[in-house]
Amino acid sequence: MARSRTTKFDASEVITNEIIRIIERGVLPWRKPWTAGGSSRPLRVGGEPYQGVNNFLLTMRTVMAGHSSPFWMTLPQANALDAKVRKG
């Protein structure tokens, strides 16, 4: 039986490519005074702030996408709240 040739998700490659795209647009993400939806840190659905690289990445995504809320959740958390999540 032949093995599938699907590529494995590489988080570091995705993060690196996103930072490169931002820098190519002329924005230095580590110099910007980041705030996300009125908060200086992105928050889990329960209000606990993210830490480490998640803090940087989620804040960057929030600002770049123009979201007004600093809150993030996983798909299982959204399902537990009966939230409707669209694919993509």
Side-chain angles (χ1 to χ4, degrees), residues 11-66:
S12 62
E13 182 179 344
V14 171
I15 292 166
T16 301
N17 290 339
E18 185 164 342
I19 291 173
I20 289 170
R21 279 193 303 274
I22 291 168
I23 291 170
E24 286 174 345
R25 288 191 304 209
V27 176
L28 299 178
W30 52 88
R31 290 190 180 169
K32 189 166 182 142
W34 294 104
T35 58
S39 174
S40 61
R41 297 179 73 181
L43 305 171
R44 290 181 173 87
V45 70
E48 181 183 349
Y50 280 92
Q51 298 177 356
V53 72
N54 285 333
N55 179 25
F56 172 75
L57 293 174
L58 293 176
T59 303
M60 184 172 58
R61 285 181 179 261
T62 300
V63 172
M64 294 305 202

